[in-house]
Amino acid sequence: MDTVTKRTLRTPEDLLGAGLIAPEQIASLVLVAERYATAVSPAVQEVMSRSANPDPIVRQFVPSAEELRTAPEEMSDPIGDHDHSPVKGIVHRYPDRVLLMPTLVCPVYCRFCFRREAVGPESGALTTAQLGAALSYIRKTPSIWEVILTGGDPLILSARRISEILAALDDIPHVKIIRIHTRIPIATPHSINAELISALKSISKPVFVAIHCNHASELSPKVAEACARFVDAGIPLLSQTVLLKDVNDSVESLESLMRALVALRIKPYYLHQLDFAPGTSHFRVPLEKGQTLVKSLRGRLSGLAQPTYMLDIPGGAGKVPLTPGHINETEHGVTSVESIDGTVRPYRPPAPH
Ligand SMILES: *Cc1c(COP(=O)(O)O)cnc(C)c1O
Ligand code: SF4
């Protein structure tokens, strides 16, 4: 990248001006832009320009002509959000928790996004009436224990708007936990300011923040400071990572990411198998390779740094862990366990009494 600008790059011309694409790519990227939003924030530009190996960052945020190829197994709503949406802005798949999406706008647009056909700058925020209807669904559904604010990126909203949503959730007695899924600490770390932190602290219910991060080089000094502002304020941080070809699909890359997250007091939560969103096949890592990587991490990394490898079953049947099996039943009813170095040893469960 040639120049770091003070503004978000959104068009093929912007990307050309910053030296992120070549002139001959313009025509195909105009077609990509008709379908999928682009945003490369100044902080992400800075990370690209400073990194000795910017490719894992460039690949995540700079559009490519490969996105024009939709594989047969790809679908516009890969995890069936639509079928589980009782009112606009809510996805309710598991009894005890719901997703609440107050906005579909993001500070950056990941090229592999699972909601790429829903998110974008024009998708906008819920209207006051729509948000009211979503909140009343939560209010009248007593099984909901946790509300997960996602989108889009909920932390792109103003601190005032975030406080209003939290205050409404604080008033619903059966909601005990609030979780926020965000990429803001990486995309616009300066916006994790005192005002935002005090909005998150304005209610007494626990608020957890889960940060989407896929490569250790995303964790610049500014990002580290932004993360510290949450933890210092008593807000626990988790991370979610998507397993991506030529971004983080090596044991070294995953190991350094997980270690860097824990060093910032962020607990690795999930490593996601990539969903079948359209135009993302160039990012897909085969499940078998993912399982091999995760198995190697077990031997190399502290338990603190282990994420759970997860699949969101295509079509909307929910999430399942893909953790490699270490325990096997043999035909004689003897159970065997496989240790990290691959040796198999017998394990006999206690006799039932
Ligand atoms: C992923 C997801 C959740 C959260 O699942 P956890 O396993 O609790 O992180 C909740 N609701 C829906 C609809 C989801 O897709
Ligand atoms: S931040 Fe999340 S919702 Fe937004 S584009 Fe990236 S993956 Fe999609």
Side-chain angles (χ1 to χ4, degrees), residues 281-332:
S281 56
H282 52 298
F283 284 110
R284 200 152 288 113
V285 177
L287 265 184
E288 300 70 30
K289 177 164 184 189
Q291 288 187 307
T292 306
L293 288 170
V294 168
K295 204 166 181 176
S296 320
L297 285 183
R298 223 336 117 193
R300 292 166 74 121
L301 264 183
S302 157
L304 268 184
Q306 302 285 344
T308 305
Y309 184 31
M310 296 296 280
L311 171 72
D312 218 316
I313 301 172
K319 291 185 183 66
V320 284
L322 294 169
T323 314
H326 285 282
I327 188 140
N328 299 296
E329 200 84 46
T330 69
E331 64 264 42
H332 308 297

Side-chain angles (χ1 to χ4, degrees), residues 79 81 91-94 97-99 115 146 148 179 181 240 269-270 310 312 319:
I79 60 168
D81 283 344
V91 182
H92 195 186
R93 196 179 343 244
Y94 307 106
R97 55 211 192 276
V98 282
L99 306 183
R115 293 203 179 101
E146 179 184 18
I148 303 167
R179 192 197 317 174
H181 285 177
Q240 304 203 73
Y269 178 56
Y270 282 166
M310 296 296 280
D312 218 316
K319 291 185 183 66

Side-chain angles (χ1 to χ4, degrees), residues 106-110 112-116 119 151-153 183 212:
C106 290
V108 284
Y109 291 99
C110 311
F112 47 84
C113 175
F114 64 133
R115 293 203 179 101
R116 59 189 329 214
V119 299
D153 200 316
R183 204 135 162 65
H212 172 185

Side-chain angles (χ1 to χ4, degrees), residues 76-87 90-93 99 101 104 114-115 118 150-151 275 312 315-317 319:
S76 66
D77 179 17
I79 60 168
D81 283 344
H82 181 78
D83 293 345
H84 292 87
S85 181
V87 287
I90 293 273
V91 182
H92 195 186
R93 196 179 343 244
L99 306 183
M101 302 168 169
L104 290 170
F114 64 133
R115 293 203 179 101
T150 182
D275 295 317
D312 218 316
K319 291 185 183 66

Side-chain angles (χ1 to χ4, degrees), residues 236-257:
L237 293 184
L238 308 169
S239 66
Q240 304 203 73
T241 296
V242 184
L243 183 59
L244 297 166
K245 183 165 183 277
D246 298 336
V247 172
N248 58 17
D249 61 336
S250 72
V251 74
E252 294 77 17
S253 176
L254 290 173
E255 177 177 349
S256 59
L257 171 61

